[in-house]
Amino acid sequence: MRLLTYNFLQCPKTKTFPLILEPTLVETIETEYNKEFILRMIPRLDWNLVRQVSRQFAFGELPQVAPKEGTQDEETLRLLHKMLLETHIKEGVLKSQDGTCYPIKDGIPNMLITQLKDE
Amino acid sequence: MNKTSCLELNDVYPPSEDTFLLVDAVTADKLFMQSYFQPFPSLVVEMGVGSGTVMKQVSSCYADNYAILYLATDIQYAALHSFSSGTTGHILEFLQSDLFTSLRPTDDWMCIFNPPYVATDEEEYMRGQTEQSDVATWAGGIQGRQLIDRFCEQLCEATANSHRVLLYLLLVDTNRPTEVLQFLRDKGNFVTVQLAHRRVGWESIRVYRCCKVSHSH
């Protein structure tokens, strides 16, 4: 699971967003830089969560306001690319505020409530 | 089409007629899709990705645009895992999920759904929904509609405040498509159009395009 995808996930039971991410295995996989992709994604992202993730994964402090189309801030876009597209959570858990844990196994989050008792 | 014969094949249900009809319909509709999104959605979600055939074909048809996040979801881990180990190129992500329940509402996205549409009893349907078995790929419950109805309810709810959402949905006549489409029009403000039709054995398979209309369109 890329950190990008984490931004789209909510708790299936309580519908709360965001979930708390507790990774145990993180991998960086190089991906071709695509500025258009990053710019297209930004309006779809919850920027507060992006900033929080940036701190959690030691990417540093991001601007308070998300960059927009036509931005000159190439540095932030490159950082977002590295963080959101190249950082993969291979193993870990996504935790809801009510304590429910959703495991990430081999890069695939299991968001099924019915499966939880089997885990 | 006798889907139960596929039970002999383990893990992931292989692509068949319905898959190919859906692929043909979606790829042939590319011009409409481009005019609707001007020119591409930021997110393409396939519910129940199965063998991955639809996702692979559609993403290669849209290959002139790499600014799309593809999200493959399935209730079965086996399907996702076998698909994820053989893909490169596009930004493609995998999610084991019960329909839309774990996705926060967003906008400017496209969805593809080839549901389990075979009419079965309730028990068989529930078995597909709660066990990690390929029953989930075809057992649709009463009229084959149980998961389809849940999908439509969740879609309308999740897109209540969205402006641009495009859905490609496959249904068979046993599902009574007119009722399903009526629901999407009434509850979700979708405009529905039939794109393709094929008779396979005793069943009629149809593909529909359903898109959200907002004042900007």
Side-chain angles (χ1 to χ4, degrees):
Chain A
M1 182 190 76
R2 287 177 165 95
L3 285 176
L4 173 67
T5 306
Y6 169 47
N7 205 290
F8 289 96
L9 299 183
Q10 66 178 11
C11 173
K13 209 161 69 178
T14 61
K15 307 283 183 258
T16 46
F17 171 88
L19 293 157
I20 300 155
L21 173 59
E22 293 178 357
T24 50
L25 182 63
V26 182
E27 213 179 316
T28 306
I29 302 170
E30 220 169 287
T31 309
E32 202 184 330
Y33 175 62
N34 184 340
K35 186 175 173 172
E36 192 199 346
F37 185 94
I38 295 291
L39 284 170
R40 291 275 310 277
M41 279 301 141
I42 290 171
R44 303 268 76 85
L45 297 173
D46 181 281
W47 189 247
N48 280 332
L49 183 59
V50 174
R51 296 186 73 214
Q52 191 186 307
V53 166
S54 182
R55 277 179 230 123
Q56 185 184 347
F57 287 81
F59 282 97
E61 201 61 31
L62 284 170
Q64 252 176 2
V65 180
K68 286 187 175 62
E69 201 93 31
T71 176
Q72 301 297 311
D73 189 359
E74 190 73 15
E75 195 187 335
T76 298
L77 296 181
R78 292 261 174 193
L79 190 143
L80 288 173
H81 170 79
K82 201 153 189 49
M83 179 169 91
L84 300 173
L85 290 178
E86 296 190 335
T87 313
H88 296 246
I89 311 303
K90 299 296 279 185
E91 310 283 337
V93 282
L94 290 158
K95 223 182 234 174
S96 178
Q97 278 151 359
D98 72 349
T100 316
C101 288
Y102 303 93
I104 304 165
K105 201 167 87 184
D106 210 1
I108 303 173
N110 179 352
M111 307 301 288
L112 300 178
I113 302 168
T114 50
Q115 296 296 311
L116 291 176
K117 51 185 174 291
D118 305 331
E119 290 295 328
Chain B
M1 187 169 45
N2 182 9
K3 284 215 165 190
T4 49
S5 65
C6 295
L7 276 174
E8 291 150 23
L9 299 163
N10 287 327
D11 292 342
V12 183
Y13 180 67
S16 73
E17 291 284 343
D18 50 354
T19 306
F20 297 121
L21 186 70
L22 182 59
V23 167
D24 289 350
V26 174
T27 52
D29 202 44
K30 186 178 173 185
L31 270 181
F32 175 86
M33 183 280 296
Q34 286 178 303
S35 70
Y36 182 72
F37 286 109
Q38 297 176 8
F40 282 95
S42 41
L43 181 68
V44 173
V45 182
E46 187 182 0
M47 287 292 165
V49 77
S51 66
T53 306
V54 177
M55 200 55 134
K56 279 180 207 154
Q57 299 290 329
V58 170
S59 60
S60 72
C61 172
Y62 296 174
D64 46 336
N65 189 295
Y66 279 96
I68 300 174
L69 168 62
Y70 292 91
L71 194 53
T73 80
D74 208 294
I75 198 164
Q76 286 189 86
Y77 182 77
L80 294 164
H81 198 252
S82 64
F83 182 21
S84 68
S85 41
T87 48
T88 49
H90 296 278
I91 303 297
L92 173 60
E93 289 281 284
F94 299 88
L95 182 64
Q96 195 176 7
S97 174
D98 173 23
L99 300 176
F100 297 104
T101 52
S102 59
L103 289 173
R104 70 171 169 87
T106 182
D107 207 344
D108 189 35
W109 60 288
M110 177 179 138
C111 181
I112 307 172
F113 190 36
N114 182 358
Y117 54 72
V118 177
T120 64
D121 57 27
E122 173 103 30
E123 201 183 318
E124 193 142 50
Y125 166 73
M126 283 315 292
R127 199 153 68 85
Q129 294 303 302
T130 52
E131 293 171 18
Q132 288 291 300
S133 90
D134 67 353
V135 176
T137 62
W138 53 269
I142 314 304
Q143 280 177 46
R145 271 272 293 279
Q146 283 183 259
L147 194 68
I148 294 168
D149 286 347
R150 279 193 67 223
F151 170 90
C152 291
E153 280 163 26
Q154 288 186 18
L155 176 75
C156 292
E157 205 183 298
T159 61
N161 298 313
S162 309
H163 302 286
R164 275 195 298 191
V165 181
L166 173 62
L167 163 71
Y168 292 103
L169 177 65
L170 184 140
L171 296 170
V172 298
D173 284 0
T174 311
N175 304 144
R176 299 192 195 161
T178 47
E179 293 175 10
V180 177
L181 300 173
Q182 188 70 48
F183 182 89
L184 289 173
R185 284 196 294 268
D186 292 350
K187 303 284 183 214
N189 263 324
F190 284 91
V191 173
T192 63
V193 177
Q194 179 180 308
L195 295 181
H197 172 222
R198 190 175 295 164
R199 189 169 283 279
V200 179
W202 49 269
E203 193 58 279
S204 255
I205 309 176
R206 296 171 200 274
V207 177
Y208 299 92
R209 173 220 293 151
C210 311
C211 62
K212 200 96 181 168
V213 276
S214 69
H215 36 81
S216 60
H217 280 274

